[in-house]
Amino acid sequence: MALPTPNPFRPGAGRVPPELAGRDALVSEVQTSLDEVVHEGEGGRPVIISGLRGVGKTVLLNEFVRTAQDSKRWIAIKLEAVAGNSLQLPLARAIHQELRSLMTTGEVAREKLMRALAAFKSFQVKVDPSGTYAFGFDVEPVPGIADTGDFQQDVFDLLDQLGRTARDLGMGVLLAIDELQSAPKSDLNALNVALHNLGQDPRPVPVSFIGTGLPSLPSVLSDATSYAERLYDYRTIGLLEDAEARDALAHPVERRGIVWEPAALDEALQSVGGYPYFTQACGKHVWDVSTGTTITRPDTLIGIQKARDEVDRGLYMSRWDRATQAQRAMMKAMAEDDDRPSAIQDLVIRLGKSRTSDLSVSRKELIKSGHIYAVDRGFVAFTVPGMADFIRRRIGDLESRIGD
Ligand SMILES: Nc1ncnc2c1ncn2[C@@H]1O[C@H](COP(=O)(O)OP(=O)(O)OP(=O)(O)O)[C@@H](O)[C@H]1O
Ligand SMILES: [Mg+2]
């Protein structure tokens, strides 16, 4: 008999895993500082969480936002930066949605939100004058607040007014931005300056900021504003330790009264290599092929193969297919370093070029398309764990596709 449905594992983007493995310490530290912000009515240090693709940044960010919303003590605003687009419009939409929902669920009385609503209106009128941002009653903008059209000034005013409103209500403001490395440099500068200025008040308003993004995010923020290095509390998340990946695979299964045969679990662990996204893909496929109350090694081997095929096609092959021939050649040269950063100097030699500038176009384009990121000056690395392994494993196959 097949295992019970629904399948507990959740491969995909931002899908809540059945077990949030290996993040307890980080979650509890960030949560403690968020709790302090509400408790003291005073803003804390903004936080940046960075990591490779598929390690669980969105899941974590959503977890903080959800906890904040459930506690009913936060004005929680979440948005995602999209390359080439300003943060202004998504910010306006996210604030509108949150203010509306606070009012319509009756959690906060309309009069108590008036200051925030008016500041929002001033901001919105500048950012998206033709947009519809109804609250069910008229809200007048306040002249002189968040309406200069200069994002740096306006985002400061807006967060300041939201923060003051929150303080009056015994609440906090949580601003959460995913994929922050994709935001335009000028917006990042505006955000840095606004957060910096908010933090300089002797009693900063209770605004918390969490930004998530690729490992390049800290340097992207520093490029936008030099003091960003000291402004944020930088955290990184990576692959799971063995014991954590074991929990990620075993706990969801055990909670359904099913067990892994020890050899089967070892096999699965070896195949996922601590990559959170793989734990879900592997768990899902193994669950799908298993029967009875014990997951056996033969079933696990079939599930692993199915997971690998799916991930190869979905995650890796699609990236490979999107690259030009020159970009593929550069990725192939990078694959020799496995998941370690590659020195551009070494790539120049491997590719039989004479100067680093010979690779600058491919490098720039691969960074732009999100295949690779600049680690340090002169070094690049893949944004997706396991890309190097994929290229090496499938090299013959891939070469026959060149020119497709
Ligand atoms: N701590 C964890 N334990 C187990 N599975 C996890 C964990 N974190 C994330 N996952 C799973 O990994 C997958 C990717 O998660 P998520 O989309 O949050 O990653 P991400 O870092 O935001 O990736 P990207 O950079 O592509 O946006 C999801 O299927 C999610 O359920
Ligand atoms: Mg994400």
Side-chain angles (χ1 to χ4, degrees):
M1 205 179 59
L3 296 191
T5 54
N7 191 314
F9 293 99
R10 302 261 181 282
R15 298 185 68 205
V16 181
E19 172 90 10
L20 185 62
R23 307 296 185 223
D24 288 357
L26 177 60
V27 169
S28 120
E29 280 172 37
V30 174
Q31 198 55 57
T32 303
S33 66
L34 291 175
D35 292 345
E36 269 169 20
V37 168
V38 170
H39 191 252
E40 308 292 330
E42 211 170 281
R45 199 167 177 201
V47 177
I48 293 293
I49 302 173
S50 57
L52 295 172
R53 290 264 168 241
V55 293
K57 303 176 295 294
T58 302
V59 158
L60 265 189
L61 193 62
N62 289 343
E63 170 82 12
F64 292 124
V65 171
R66 201 170 24 252
T67 308
Q69 281 167 339
D70 290 350
S71 76
K72 312 219 183 295
R73 298 203 63 185
W74 291 86
I75 299 173
I77 302 152
K78 191 200 158 195
L79 56 140
E80 182 181 317
V82 174
N85 292 337
S86 170
L87 290 175
Q88 303 188 29
L89 203 56
L91 180 62
R93 290 187 179 141
I95 296 177
H96 174 245
Q97 191 187 351
E98 174 67 355
L99 293 178
R100 237 187 107 92
S101 106
L102 285 174
M103 281 188 319
T104 50
T105 51
E107 272 152 34
V108 182
R110 172 203 297 192
E111 328 65 82
K112 297 201 166 162
L113 279 177
M114 250 7 241
R115 184 210 291 260
L117 292 172
F120 166 75
K121 197 74 191 167
S122 301
F123 177 70
Q124 173 256 304
V125 165
K126 269 282 179 269
V127 169
D128 188 15
S130 56
T132 331
Y133 294 86
F135 286 105
F137 57 91
D138 285 342
V139 177
E140 289 303 318
V142 257
I145 295 216
D147 62 357
T148 64
D150 169 14
F151 187 47
Q152 186 170 311
Q153 181 59 47
D154 294 349
V155 74
F156 169 82
D157 281 354
L158 189 60
L159 291 175
D160 186 48
Q161 294 298 317
L162 286 170
R164 286 170 196 278
T165 308
R167 181 182 278 157
D168 291 346
L169 291 164
M171 297 171 80
V173 175
L174 173 60
L175 175 59
I177 310 187
D178 202 5
E179 299 285 345
L180 191 58
Q181 80 286 336
S182 296
K185 192 169 174 178
S186 57
D187 283 6
L188 291 176
N189 177 248
L191 189 67
N192 288 339
V193 173
L195 292 171
H196 179 60
N197 288 343
L198 284 173
Q200 285 182 7
D201 195 274
R203 188 160 182 245
V205 287
V207 171
S208 292
F209 175 84
I210 309 178
T212 46
L214 289 176
S216 54
L217 180 54
S219 65
V220 168
L221 287 166
S222 298
D223 275 353
T225 324
S226 59
Y227 56 70
E229 281 163 23
R230 284 159 288 138
L231 176 62
Y232 295 97
D233 175 7
Y234 288 101
R235 305 300 181 105
T236 52
I237 58 170
L239 301 182
L240 302 173
E241 300 287 335
D242 238 24
E244 297 162 350
R246 194 175 277 276
D247 289 349
L249 286 166
H251 288 172
V253 165
E254 287 162 6
R255 282 196 287 268
R256 300 285 193 91
I258 314 282
V259 288
W260 290 83
E261 224 176 60
L265 185 54
D266 286 346
E267 205 67 65
L269 275 174
Q270 207 192 337
S271 120
V272 303
Y275 186 20
Y277 171 57
F278 278 6
T279 61
Q280 302 307 312
C282 175
K284 177 194 177 287
H285 283 283
V286 170
W287 182 276
D288 280 348
V289 295
S290 292
T291 51
T293 52
T294 303
I295 298 178
T296 63
R297 188 166 177 272
D299 284 347
T300 299
L301 293 176
I302 299 171
I304 288 173
Q305 194 51 51
K306 285 179 181 259
R308 176 163 280 183
D309 287 349
E310 181 183 276
V311 172
D312 275 3
R313 261 182 285 115
L315 190 66
Y316 299 126
M317 193 63 91
S318 64
R319 280 168 190 270
W320 181 262
D321 282 346
R322 273 185 278 137
T324 63
Q325 289 221 28
Q327 293 167 5
R328 290 174 185 179
M330 179 155 163
M331 290 197 284
K332 220 174 94 189
M334 285 176 65
E336 290 185 32
D337 294 310
D338 203 353
D339 274 341
R340 292 183 306 278
S342 301
I344 297 279
Q345 285 291 359
D346 293 343
L347 301 179
V348 167
I349 296 165
R350 284 175 205 164
L351 290 165
K353 305 279 182 195
S354 45
R355 289 179 301 273
T356 53
S357 59
D358 294 334
L359 292 184
S360 52
V361 172
S362 293
R363 175 186 173 279
K364 208 169 143 205
E365 287 170 354
L366 283 169
I367 290 177
K368 199 160 165 231
S369 59
H371 287 67
I372 68 170
Y373 69 100
V375 182
D376 275 322
R377 196 170 282 279
F379 284 84
V380 285
F382 290 113
T383 55
V384 187
M387 187 75 194
D389 176 61
F390 166 78
I391 294 173
R392 286 199 317 261
R393 253 188 310 118
R394 304 282 299 262
I395 199 84
D397 189 21
L398 295 177
E399 280 179 341
S400 67
R401 292 168 68 100
I402 288 184
D404 284 357

